[in-house]
Amino acid sequence: MGALARAIAWRSQRFADYDVALEAMDALLHIDTPESRAVIASLVDDDRVQVRELARDVVANPDQYW
């Protein structure tokens, strides 16, 4: 979980960092452990709109994702 959580937190001026975060979130959704769910839940207030909206949707509708 640690490497994926770090990938989500990573920021870059050169790349669309939300792309990396979304890919890491997708991996966490496939892993489906209490730890992966906690990482997703921690992103509901992320400053990146794409990351925040996906996290909020997952938390609100977990049966659609897991």
Side-chain angles (χ1 to χ4, degrees):
M1 290 318 121
L4 292 171
R6 284 190 302 276
I8 293 170
W10 181 72
R11 301 287 202 268
S12 171
Q13 296 300 318
R14 289 186 58 196
F15 302 104
D17 62 344
Y18 64 86
D19 284 342
V20 173
L22 293 175
E23 291 295 328
M25 291 173 74
D26 184 59
L28 290 169
L29 289 169
H30 284 86
I31 292 170
D32 189 21
T33 63
E35 294 85 3
S36 66
R37 289 177 181 233
V39 172
I40 297 288
S42 74
L43 299 170
V44 297
D45 293 321
D46 195 89
D47 60 337
R48 296 163 292 187
V49 173
Q50 299 87 343
V51 173
R52 180 177 63 242
E53 292 302 317
L54 176 58
R56 288 179 179 176
D57 194 49
V58 170
V59 169
N61 306 293
D63 292 338
Q64 293 181 4
Y65 293 91
W66 285 298

